[in-house]
Structure formats: structure tokens, C-alpha cells
């Protein structure tokens, strides 16, 4: 194998290994820590659910795609569709793998304690939701293109959400899938690329503000030190190639 080609392949392998390692699989829904989010950034974002409490301190709402028709139910902030409440697809977010998908929660409880804080609760039995639990805690619902519910991935009931636990760029609390759940969703996506996703949620401790959930794509961001090491490695490989060429001509 020519030395230059070999050097190029070595560089590509180093690059792929470095950045593939920074984007790990995750799933049922779990909150991602600052360590897990280190070296990553948020790409495309889409607001998919906006809650506003209905009972004194509880808010519960979901977006459905049953039968292939979008419907928003519960304590949502109008309108029932875009830009506040909507279905979404991998394609809209530029996602090619389920481990790139995350949900970002932003709490805006103006009359609540500072920082804003709510607790996730079980589905409150919204209309049309008695069996499916579309709004259990925070739930990612996955439908076929014709509106059949295929998968659900939920955050544990009783999770306390505090807005000061900010995620990427102070943009909210970030949740992703654990490895087995991401693998299950990815397998479904490969089998049915046109799947449609929705989100539902139920919080207690709300006090009137609009709490939003965005679907986002998490992507690796090159860190300065990593890029420096990569560049240094390429320079070293090139120098070695030049030395071998000079030795061959001598």
C-alpha cells in the first residue's frame, strides 16, 4: 500500500474513532449529565409540546398521531399544532441514528420558586389516553406512518426537574435514550424509515408558565485539544513519509 494512502487511512481511522466515541447510545428516557454532553452541541431543534397547567398545580398533555392524524390533547398552550405542538420525524431533525435524538425541557414557571422546579407524574387519564399512557411522565411515542403506536420510551415517574441543571449552552434539561432503547428505536427506523414521533408529559408543581419540550439532534463538536492532536498526528505522518522518500532516493 503506498505510504500516502496508508497515512490517509490512518488519519481517517483516528478521526472516526475520536468522534464516534463522543456520541454514545442512550435510552428509556434518562437525563444526560454535563459529562455526557461534553463535546457535543445541539443541531436542529423543534418545539413539539408546550404545556400550561390546567388544574391548580398539575399539567398534562400529549400529541397523538393515531390513525395518521395529529391531535393535541390536555393542558397545552395553543395552537394545537405548529409551532408549539406537533409531530416530528428523524428527517426533520437531520437524524440518521436514534442515539442522536434528545428532548430538551425548558421550564418557565414565573410564579414558582427560583429556579423553576416541577416533578413528573403518571399520566392523568386524559381523553383517548386511558390505555396508551401517551403523557406518562415524559414519554416519546413512536407511530407508524399510518398512525399505529409501535413504541414508547418514558422518563421515570417522580423525577424532579430543576431548571438550574442546564444542558448544552444553558438551553434546558436534556434527555436521551438508554442504549437498549436507542437500539430498539434504530432497528424500527431502519425497518420503517417513515416513523412519526410525538411527545407527551405530565408535571406537578406547575404554576402557570409555558413549559416547552423540544426535539433536538445532538451532534459531536470537535474540541480544540482534539483537533490539535489530530493536526499534530497528520503532520507527524507527513514528516515520516517525506523522510522515507528522501531515504529511498539517497
Amino acid at each position: 500500500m503506498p505510504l500516502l494512502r496508508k497515512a490517509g487511512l490512518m488519519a481517517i481511522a483516528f478521526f472516526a474513532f475520536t468522534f464516534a466515541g463522543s456520541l454514545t447510545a442512550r435510552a428509556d428516557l434518562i437525563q444526560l449529565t454535563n459529562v455526557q454532553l461534553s463535546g457535543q452541541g445541539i443541531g436542529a431543534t423543534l418545539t413539539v409540546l408546550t404545556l400550561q397547567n390546567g388544574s391548580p398545580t398539575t399539567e398534562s398533555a400529549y400529541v397523538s398521531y393515531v390513525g395518521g392524524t395529529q391531535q393535541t390533547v390536555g393542558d397545552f398552550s395553543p395552537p394545537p399544532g405548529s409551532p408549539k405542538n406537533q409531530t416530528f420525524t428523524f428527517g426533520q431533525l437531520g437524524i440518521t441514528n436514534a442515539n442522536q435524538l434528545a428532548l430538551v425541557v425548558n421550564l418557565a414557571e414565573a410564579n414558582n420558586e427560583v429556579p423553576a422546579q416541577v416533578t413528573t407524574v403518571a399520566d392523568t387519564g386524559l381523553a383517548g389516553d386511558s390505555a396508551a399512557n401517551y403523557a406518562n411522565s415524559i414519554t416519546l411515542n413512536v407511530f407508524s406512518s399510518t398512525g399505529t403506536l409501535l413504541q414508547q420510551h418514558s422518563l421515570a415517574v417522580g423525577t424532579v426537574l430543576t431548571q438550574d441543571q442546564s444542558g448544552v449552552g444553558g438551553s434546558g434539561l436534556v434527555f436521551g435514550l438508554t442504549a437498549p432503547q436507542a437500539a430498539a428505536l434504530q432497528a424500527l427506523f431502519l425497518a420503517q424509515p417513515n416513523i412519526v414521533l410525538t411527545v407527551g408529559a405530565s408535571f406537578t408543581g406547575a404554576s402557570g408558565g409555558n413549559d416547552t419540550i423540544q426535539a433536538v439532534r445532538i451532534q459531536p463538536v470537535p474540541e480544540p485539544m482534539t483537533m490539535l492532536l489530530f493536526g499534530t498526528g497528520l503532520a507527524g505522518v507527513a514528516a515520516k513519509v517525506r523522510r522515507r522518500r528522501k531515504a529511498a532516493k539517497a
Side-chain angles (χ1 to χ4, degrees):
M1 180 183 294
L3 289 177
L4 282 176
R5 183 183 176 191
K6 184 175 181 180
L9 291 175
M10 289 171 61
I12 292 170
F14 175 83
F15 188 86
F17 175 81
T18 299
F19 294 105
S22 68
L23 190 62
T24 57
R26 28 187 90 97
D28 248 330
L29 289 174
I30 55 172
Q31 185 172 346
L32 306 183
T33 67
N34 289 334
V35 172
Q36 288 170 307
L37 291 167
S38 177
Q40 300 192 58
I42 287 179
T45 66
L46 191 70
T47 300
V48 294
L49 185 67
T50 305
L51 299 108
Q52 189 167 28
N53 63 298
S55 70
T57 62
T58 301
E59 55 191 16
S60 182
Y62 67 90
V63 176
S64 170
Y65 193 65
V66 173
T69 301
Q70 177 180 317
Q71 182 181 15
T72 307
V73 178
D75 306 317
F76 63 89
S77 176
S82 176
K84 290 185 176 181
N85 305 280
Q86 56 192 308
T87 63
F88 62 100
T89 65
F90 276 22
Q92 282 178 278
L93 298 176
I95 287 174
T96 57
N97 196 297
N99 62 14
Q100 296 173 302
L101 175 63
L103 300 177
V104 177
V105 177
N106 279 292
L107 304 177
E109 299 300 331
N111 301 317
N112 203 339
E113 67 272 16
V114 179
Q117 184 179 85
V118 298
T119 302
T120 66
V121 294
D123 189 307
T124 58
L126 296 170
D129 191 25
S130 58
N133 293 323
Y134 297 122
N136 197 49
S137 184
I138 298 175
T139 296
L140 176 68
N141 303 292
V142 186
F143 294 87
S144 69
S145 59
T146 56
T148 299
L149 181 64
L150 301 175
Q151 289 183 8
Q152 290 181 298
H153 307 275
S154 298
L155 179 69
V157 170
T159 301
V160 177
L161 309 181
T162 305
Q163 188 62 42
D164 66 348
Q165 300 169 357
S166 58
V168 176
S171 57
L173 310 178
V174 185
F175 298 86
L177 295 172
T178 62
Q181 300 289 340
L185 181 54
Q186 180 65 13
L188 178 60
F189 170 64
L190 292 176
Q192 301 187 42
N194 296 320
I195 54 175
V196 176
L197 300 97
T198 75
V199 171
S202 296
F203 301 153
T204 189
S207 60
N210 287 343
D211 298 326
T212 63
I213 300 179
Q214 293 178 308
V216 306
R217 180 193 48 164
I218 291 182
Q219 58 188 355
V221 175
E223 297 179 5
M225 183 55 68
T226 300
M227 293 304 296
L228 177 61
L229 290 173
F230 179 58
T232 302
L234 284 179
V237 171
K240 188 174 183 180
V241 170
R242 286 194 298 270
R243 286 196 298 270
R244 288 187 177 181
R245 283 181 172 177
K246 287 181 181 180
K249 291 179 180 180

